[in-house]
Amino acid sequence: MPDLIRMENIIKNYGPVQALSGVDLSVGEKEIVGLLGDNGAGKSTLIKVLSGAVPISSGKIFVRGQEVTIKSTTDAIGHGIETIYQDSALVTQLSIARNLFLGREPYKGPAFLGRLDEEMMNAVASDLLRKVGISKNIPPTTPIGALSGGERQAVAIARAMHFDSDLIILDEPTNNLGVAETQGVLNFIRGARESGHSCIFIAHNIHHVFQVVDRIIVMRRGRVVADDIRPGNSTVEQVERVITGMDEHVPV
Ligand SMILES: Nc1ncnc2c1ncn2[C@@H]1O[C@H](COP(=O)(O)OP(=O)(O)OP(=O)(O)O)[C@@H](O)[C@H]1O
Ligand SMILES: [Mg+2]
């Protein structure tokens, strides 16, 4: 079976800055991958390329063995790739339910009459909020602006779950989150595999990554320097040495 995602020799230049210098990376079906690296290593650039936020300078991207062109977020979503940033694209004035269905609103009766199916959206939203671990009873009609950072994160995660993306990318989703909210995000990532999703999880907290991933990929200065570190048979300290380049020997 081909990998869900394969990236080959990806180069990304920002003017004179080469953010990605020939990256090869793959993610299997139902695989949870942790992407680690110091500040400026190229992690966010790599996932921006995959999620259609920035164009690549050269290289190839394959989804289940088929070469694809990803030029926009819409292209990425069309290929089953959903990305969750710390500041996810949520509309603060709209309700939780409306944000979940943003751009994919269900209608009551013919769409040209423009009657949104609010009941359906609210019911699905309530159910999803429970699933992503928002235990407080927040009505789905609450505007996003009234939620905490972690709760907003949970809404973005709920959206990726509901629309059944094949690959869910989380770029530092646990930044600025409280303990309970962080556990909620980690639980979600663990659950993603069981529900058939693959994930790329970027975080600076190696302990969080160790708790949930199958495999760790390390980037340094625009290159992948290790791509098969298994949390089961390496230590946090070993991975730290790979990240900083103190240890050229890759633990596997
Ligand atoms: N829009 C841009 N224009 C110019 N250079 C950029 C741009 N975005 C990123 N870079 C540069 O590309 C390199 C990689 O940045 P990137 O954001 O991918 O790193 P990162 O691994 O996500 O780091 P962090 O852990 O700090 O988030 C850095 O040197 C950065 O300054
Ligand atoms: Mg980043």
Side-chain angles (χ1 to χ4, degrees):
M1 198 163 59
D3 286 318
L4 175 61
I5 302 289
R6 189 154 53 87
M7 300 174 88
E8 274 183 15
N9 202 17
I10 303 293
I11 292 176
K12 173 65 192 176
N13 301 311
Y14 288 112
V17 178
Q18 190 159 71
L20 300 174
S21 309
V23 168
D24 294 325
L25 177 147
S26 31
V27 180
E29 303 272 359
K30 298 185 201 179
E31 189 182 29
I32 313 294
V33 170
L35 185 56
L36 296 176
D38 251 334
N39 297 112
K43 307 177 297 294
S44 293
T45 304
L46 188 70
I47 62 107
K48 280 181 188 160
V49 155
L50 201 49
S51 57
V54 299
I56 50 176
S57 304
S58 65
K60 288 182 174 177
I61 302 176
F62 300 85
V63 176
R64 297 199 170 97
Q66 294 279 58
E67 189 173 354
V68 297
T69 313
I70 300 179
K71 288 205 170 126
S72 65
T73 318
T74 316
D75 287 346
I77 290 174
H79 292 301
I81 301 168
E82 182 109 21
T83 304
I84 298 164
Y85 303 98
Q86 179 69 28
D87 294 308
S88 285
L90 297 174
V91 183
T92 49
Q93 306 91 308
L94 290 180
S95 70
I96 297 175
R98 285 295 304 278
N99 268 280
L100 281 171
F101 286 92
L102 214 55
R104 297 141 158 163
E105 288 84 355
Y107 288 95
K108 252 185 187 164
F112 68 85
L113 292 178
R115 281 176 61 222
L116 289 175
D117 193 344
E118 306 266 359
E119 283 150 46
M120 191 270 217
M121 288 193 279
N122 289 337
V124 171
S126 299
D127 186 44
L128 281 168
L129 289 177
R130 262 195 311 278
K131 277 194 190 141
V132 292
I134 296 194
S135 46
K136 269 190 295 175
N137 221 349
I138 301 177
T141 47
T142 311
I144 290 291
L147 301 183
S148 78
E151 289 161 349
R152 290 180 198 201
Q153 194 72 22
V155 171
I157 287 173
R159 189 166 63 184
M161 275 171 82
H162 182 65
F163 290 103
D164 229 8
S165 317
D166 296 317
L167 178 70
I168 301 173
I169 303 174
L170 302 109
D171 192 356
E172 311 209 23
T174 50
N175 276 10
N176 310 315
L177 296 192
V179 176
E181 289 171 338
T182 297
Q183 283 311 320
V185 171
L186 295 179
N187 279 338
F188 159 75
I189 298 173
R190 281 191 202 99
R193 188 191 303 104
E194 273 93 79
S195 51
H197 303 90
S198 301
C199 264
I200 298 178
F201 173 33
I202 300 178
H204 280 280
N205 188 321
I206 306 179
H207 296 276
H208 290 169
V209 172
F210 259 62
Q211 282 180 47
V212 295
V213 306
D214 299 312
R215 180 164 65 95
I216 291 172
I217 297 176
V218 178
M219 290 185 68
R220 202 162 63 225
R221 284 187 241 109
R223 293 174 197 280
V224 168
V225 293
D227 72 354
D228 198 18
I229 301 177
R230 306 280 162 175
N233 45 20
S234 18
T235 64
V236 169
E237 291 70 32
Q238 281 173 317
V239 175
E240 274 167 354
R241 286 202 292 276
V242 178
I243 291 170
T244 56
M246 306 243 312
D247 186 359
E248 291 302 331
H249 176 71
V250 179
V252 284

